[in-house]
Amino acid sequence: MEQPIAIQIRLHLERFEPLVSLQQWEQQLLEAGLHRAAACSSFIGRVRAGQANASSASAVIALELEHYPGMTEAELQRIAESVGKRHGALACLIEHRVGRIAVNDAIVCVAVLADRRGPAQRCCQELLEELKHNAPFWKREWSADGSSQWIEGNTPL
């Protein structure tokens, strides 16, 4: 019988500390009886300091993410289950900010536990790409001059 993947999804309206989240997540898994995995792969993404965009000479100072509560978490769960199963992950963590996020603040933390580094790394990479391209978030860049622009598409690798 295939063991279910332990998946944790959290959306944050306020700033969060990814390294604290990772430590708490692993401790919770151990307390729940999941053995300490041989491999953990993680990624922390932060809002980049922006250059002036095409519609404004002012630099980007914040990113805003909108979502549909409930539907977004369900889709993130579906993505994590699908990708985790494909790579044999034991556990997946997705923590994501929503709302207005300042430059240099953490926007996403993704982590994967597996029995080997290859599956952990590949799963983490694919999970992040799925989030970037298929998760139901709508992004808007805010410039120092107060203007904003909705983002179409995603940034390249």
Side-chain angles (χ1 to χ4, degrees):
M1 177 187 253
E2 191 174 297
Q3 182 158 333
I5 302 165
I7 297 172
Q8 183 172 320
I9 310 289
R10 277 192 254 171
L11 299 183
H12 298 272
L13 292 170
E14 302 292 330
R15 196 170 192 220
F16 74 100
E17 294 297 331
L19 296 178
V20 172
S21 295
L22 288 169
Q23 185 178 25
Q24 290 172 345
W25 174 63
E26 188 169 10
Q27 185 61 39
Q28 290 168 353
L29 290 171
L30 290 172
E31 289 171 3
L34 185 68
H35 71 279
R36 189 175 298 276
C40 179
S41 183
S42 63
F43 174 85
I44 297 168
R46 300 184 185 282
V47 176
R48 284 188 307 269
Q51 305 297 322
N53 62 39
S55 67
S56 171
S58 185
V60 174
I61 60 164
L63 185 64
E64 181 180 0
L65 268 73
E66 290 190 3
H67 74 296
Y68 287 116
M71 190 267 297
T72 298
E73 293 89 339
E75 183 61 12
L76 297 181
Q77 179 79 24
R78 186 200 64 73
I79 289 170
E81 286 174 359
S82 174
V83 173
K85 183 183 278 189
R86 191 166 28 262
H87 292 282
L90 301 171
C92 296
L93 169 70
I94 299 172
E95 297 213 6
H96 213 293
R97 277 288 303 274
V98 293
R100 191 166 168 148
I101 310 150
V103 167
N104 296 322
D105 278 358
I107 189 170
V108 65
C109 176
V110 174
V112 174
L113 295 179
D115 282 331
R116 305 194 56 82
R117 76 177 179 277
Q121 290 172 335
R122 287 187 295 273
C123 185
C124 189
Q125 174 71 30
E126 185 177 340
L127 188 54
L128 183 62
E129 290 305 308
E130 283 289 318
L131 292 178
K132 290 285 289 178
H133 298 286
N134 298 316
F137 293 111
W138 294 269
K139 301 173 188 174
R140 179 168 35 180
E141 292 179 336
W142 285 93
S143 298
D145 67 5
S147 65
S148 67
Q149 174 180 329
W150 289 101
I151 299 172
E152 293 185 31
N154 283 292
T155 54
L157 281 174

